[in-house]
Amino acid sequence: MAAKTFGERIAELLIEDGLLLPSQLEEIVALQKQQGGRIVKLLTGRGYVTEQDMVIAMGRCLDVPPINLAKVHPHEQTINLVSKEIARTHKLVPICKLGNKLFVAMVDPMNVLALDDLRQRTKLEIVPMITTEKAVEDALSGVSGGGMAMDEVMRDAAEEADGAVEEVKQASENLDLDQLRGQGEEGPVVKIVNMILVQALKEKASDIHIEPFEKTIKLRYRVDGNLIEASSPPKSLQLPMASRIKILAGLDIAERRLPQDGRFRIRVAGKEIDLRISFLPTIYGEKIVIRILDKSALSGSIEMLGLDERTFDQFKKAIDAPHGMILVTGPTGSGKTTTLYSVLQELNNPEYNIVTVEDPVEYQLVGINQVAVKSEVGLTFASALRSILRQDPDIVMIGEIRDQETADIAVKAALTGHQVLSTLHTNDAAGAISRLDDMGIEPFLISSSVLLTCAQRLVRRICPNCKEEFVPEPDVFEKLEIPELVGETFYRGAGCDRCKGRGYSGRAAVLEVLPVTEAIRRLIVKRASASVIKNQAVQEGMKSLRMAGIDKAREGITTLEEVLRTTSEDH
């Protein structure tokens, strides 16, 4: 009988601990025979086992203690025992020195060459511990654990820039251009801007806000829709930081009286992240907002939107139609554009000519022609749309229908053999139809062109690491008008290190999908109100935003409190 491989021994431990199903292991073994690779990597790559659980199992198998680097703050003297270059090469972080022993967190504690190299360089006995590759990368990047914390970087920068506060105050309008550019390239400024970006990516923030006030700068990250305050840079670095970001975005560093917009791209852990930059002059300097656009966060298709089977079928039917209009509604920041991008990803193939007109272009998609609105030179939604329709398109995506002219062209395009996707600012799906009527579009044109409207909200996901069952208070059911569910078990996040005690991690879309049926077409032609159209759709089986949200709470994806917060006016 052949000896078991290391991967097979690990898999057995995971099955014993109830972290892996035998059927999942069989699938991975078949995949390994087909395409090669290590069982350990394939298990984490498929998401069957978390990296942390894998590390614990490997530690048991190798008799090496696991360590969570996020909870460890090594002393700077310990870190300096090993150069960063060596640490990155061998994927390790020095943790602490006790006597002649150096405890080291390693991705591969069986790497004999790395252990020998460390022993020779430090003249110490090396005690290996096991951790995840991501934890080592984060620690060596100074994000957490063994590296400089944000507070330390801010403090060092403040000391290096000490005495510069007066210069900033005096240089309200007449700073030398070369001086500004030079300050933007200085060590502490580059380090702080890099740290702000890295921290935002680690927190999975969607936006970074750098806000100037009279004597301070406020730094905040938008995480899962909420703004969270972070350690702030010193006021003395306000101008150099702004200059640094402008240099990266290719903006005019001398212009501080007018708003400016730009973008640039960074590469982190092999992924390309687009950053959209906005500068707004305030009385105390320029407020900077950086929007983080991570393509990997886009849904690959509408299957990833989390729709129930009936709603998914209705959505798919509308998308597969050869022509007509699909409208997504909701307030700013509710994920409307992301949903339309998911639809475009579904439709994107060489058989179709797909053109978008957006303000601005958020994600740059391969194989899709994207046009950015430039109102200052006359390139509006309406003028761009007219030109696009002369480009023989099959599918047209309009970032937003804002006026009667754009609405009129979009409706006529949908009636003449084009598939049109767009967004509107209304509270619910039925409101989109009333909004087109308000814009002056004839009801018979609306009823003939619109295939489906949907309203969308984003709810925070319960952190999977600290998810627990509980029975909510009766008043929550009363506010949601679902007394029949009182006493039922729901879920919440208790709060843990992974979610920073918030109980939530990430967001999920809640959609109200209204297909335009024959009955609804007759109501549109009669100019029925949005509430009448909505009631008819509910009678035909449509789930309102609140109903769809409650379903998500019952599935353990979000909490009832989140549903109440995001759908307070939409039930």
Side-chain angles (χ1 to χ4, degrees):
M1 187 177 172
K4 288 176 183 172
T5 65
F6 178 66
E8 288 169 340
R9 281 158 45 213
I10 293 289
E12 281 186 1
L13 278 176
L14 291 167
I15 290 170
E16 276 177 32
D17 292 343
L19 298 170
L20 181 68
L21 297 172
S23 59
Q24 291 174 326
L25 177 58
E26 286 171 16
E27 185 185 329
I28 290 298
V29 169
L31 187 67
Q32 186 192 36
K33 287 176 182 173
Q34 183 184 342
Q35 65 181 42
R38 295 168 58 202
I39 286 179
V40 167
K41 282 284 184 187
L42 292 171
L43 284 170
T44 53
R46 277 294 174 102
Y48 289 158
V49 181
T50 66
E51 284 196 9
Q52 196 61 42
D53 288 337
M54 181 63 77
V55 159
I56 292 167
M58 288 171 71
R60 282 175 59 194
C61 201
L62 298 170
D63 198 23
V64 175
I67 184 166
N68 185 348
L69 284 180
K71 295 182 179 179
V72 177
H73 298 279
H75 197 277
E76 196 172 342
Q77 287 179 335
T78 306
I79 293 168
N80 292 337
L81 288 171
V82 179
S83 72
K84 274 207 171 180
E85 188 182 344
I86 297 298
R88 286 187 194 282
T89 301
H90 295 315
K91 295 181 181 176
L92 56 87
V93 178
I95 300 300
C96 70
K97 178 176 172 287
L98 294 176
N100 70 332
K101 291 182 179 179
L102 179 62
F103 290 78
V104 180
M106 303 178 70
V107 174
D108 181 7
M110 296 293 105
N111 186 339
V112 179
L113 294 175
L115 293 170
D116 285 344
D117 191 15
L118 281 185
R119 202 174 290 116
Q120 288 176 12
R121 289 174 185 274
T122 61
K123 309 300 181 193
L124 296 169
E125 184 186 335
I126 308 301
V127 181
M129 306 173 85
I130 190 166
T131 190
T132 67
E133 192 165 344
K134 186 181 182 303
V136 169
E137 286 173 6
D138 283 352
L140 294 177
S141 301
V143 174
S144 62
M148 290 189 79
M150 179 68 91
D151 289 334
E152 293 176 58
V153 175
M154 299 299 186
R155 189 168 58 249
D156 288 355
E159 288 169 5
E160 290 185 47
D162 190 31
V165 179
E166 290 305 314
E167 291 175 31
V168 171
K169 287 181 179 176
Q170 291 165 9
S172 57
E173 293 298 332
N174 301 312
L175 266 180
D176 180 77
L177 197 61
D178 292 332
Q179 182 187 349
L180 270 178
R181 187 173 282 107
Q183 286 177 342
E185 300 289 0
E186 284 174 2
V189 178
V190 172
K191 190 184 287 184
I192 279 192
V193 171
N194 289 351
M195 278 291 292
I196 288 171
L197 296 176
V198 168
Q199 189 70 18
L201 293 170
K202 180 182 178 264
E203 295 277 0
K204 296 181 180 172
S206 60
D207 301 86
I208 304 167
H209 290 245
I210 302 169
E211 303 161 311
F213 294 95
E214 187 177 5
K215 295 179 180 177
T216 60
I217 300 175
K218 185 181 281 187
L219 171 65
R220 296 191 289 174
Y221 298 112
R222 189 173 292 281
V223 179
D224 297 339
N226 292 351
L227 279 171
I228 295 164
E229 202 160 341
S231 302
S232 297
K235 177 72 174 174
S236 54
L237 291 180
Q238 179 179 319
L239 276 176
M241 278 176 57
S243 299
R244 173 64 183 165
I245 294 167
K246 285 179 182 177
I247 288 166
L248 291 170
L251 299 175
D252 182 358
I253 63 172
E255 181 56 75
R256 290 179 287 126
R257 297 165 299 175
L258 295 173
Q260 290 193 74
D261 295 303
R263 64 192 303 153
F264 63 93
R265 185 175 292 172
I266 58 174
R267 184 182 288 274
V268 178
K271 286 195 306 183
E272 284 196 343
I273 312 286
D274 283 326
L275 303 172
R276 203 173 76 217
I277 319 299
S278 174
F279 282 81
L280 178 71
T282 71
I283 57 171
Y284 295 118
E286 291 171 299
K287 179 184 189 300
I288 307 166
V289 174
I290 303 173
R291 168 66 57 91
I292 299 167
L293 304 168
D294 181 1
K295 274 188 205 171
S296 66
L298 282 178
S299 300
S301 68
I302 60 165
E303 291 179 6
M304 307 295 287
L305 293 175
L307 303 173
D308 63 79
E309 190 175 345
R310 184 175 183 277
T311 306
F312 175 81
D313 289 342
Q314 291 169 336
F315 214 110
K316 191 81 170 72
K317 184 181 176 184
I319 288 169
D320 291 340
H323 55 82
M325 186 184 288
I326 296 171
L327 295 170
V328 183
T329 76
T332 302
S334 58
K336 302 186 297 295
T337 308
T338 305
T339 295
L340 287 185
Y341 277 129
S342 298
V343 174
L344 287 179
Q345 300 268 61
E346 180 95 5
L347 295 169
N348 190 7
N349 74 59
E351 293 178 14
Y352 297 129
N353 175 19
I354 305 175
V355 189
T356 76
V357 52
E358 305 168 62
D359 183 22
V361 172
E362 292 201 7
Y363 295 92
Q364 294 168 10
L365 303 176
V366 176
I368 293 174
N369 305 286
Q370 295 172 275
V371 178
V373 166
K374 293 178 183 171
S375 303
E376 65 275 12
V377 294
L379 184 60
T380 62
F381 276 113
S383 63
L385 197 47
R386 277 197 204 91
S387 298
I388 286 167
L389 293 175
R390 292 194 286 270
Q391 291 273 319
D392 184 33
D394 297 296
I395 299 159
V396 179
M397 194 267 263
I398 307 164
E400 185 186 345
I401 295 177
R402 297 176 180 172
D403 52 54
Q404 194 270 337
E405 189 180 8
T406 308
D408 187 52
I409 300 168
V411 166
K412 285 173 182 170
L415 289 171
T416 54
H418 303 91
Q419 192 172 64
V420 179
L421 313 172
S422 191
T423 70
L424 277 170
H425 280 285
T426 63
N427 277 337
D428 59 8
I433 292 161
S434 299
R435 179 60 55 86
L436 289 177
D437 193 359
D438 294 341
M439 285 178 172
I441 307 301
E442 290 295 333
F444 73 90
L445 293 176
I446 299 171
S447 68
S448 304
S449 60
V450 178
L451 298 172
L452 176 142
T453 68
C454 67
Q456 179 165 324
R457 298 292 185 275
L458 291 176
V459 292
R460 290 181 291 174
R461 285 180 178 273
I462 297 170
C463 172
N465 192 52
C466 58
K467 183 174 170 182
E468 63 178 19
E469 292 184 349
F470 85 117
V471 178
E473 295 295 322
D475 66 316
V476 176
F477 296 100
E478 189 180 323
K479 288 174 184 173
L480 285 167
E481 299 179 12
I482 45 171
E484 68 276 10
L485 298 183
V486 171
E488 272 201 29
T489 299
F490 282 81
Y491 301 87
R492 66 183 174 192
C496 63
D497 291 336
R498 285 193 197 175
C499 63
K500 303 285 179 68
R502 298 177 196 125
Y504 295 101
S505 179
R507 288 192 287 179
V510 174
L511 279 87
E512 169 185 284
V513 177
L514 189 157
V516 178
T517 60
E518 282 304 318
I520 287 172
R521 281 196 180 93
R522 288 194 292 271
L523 290 174
I524 293 170
V525 172
K526 291 177 185 175
R527 278 202 161 100
S529 67
S531 59
V532 171
I533 292 171
K534 182 170 186 172
N535 288 338
Q536 176 63 33
V538 170
Q539 283 176 29
E540 293 178 3
M542 181 188 84
K543 288 186 177 178
S544 69
L545 274 169
R546 177 154 287 183
M547 291 159 67
I550 291 166
D551 283 350
K552 286 268 193 290
R554 296 181 88 167
E555 291 168 30
I557 293 168
T558 189
T559 62
L560 286 177
E561 287 76 13
E562 270 295 283
V563 175
L564 184 62
R565 181 180 71 83
T566 53
T567 65
S568 56
E569 298 173 5
D570 308 305
H571 62 286

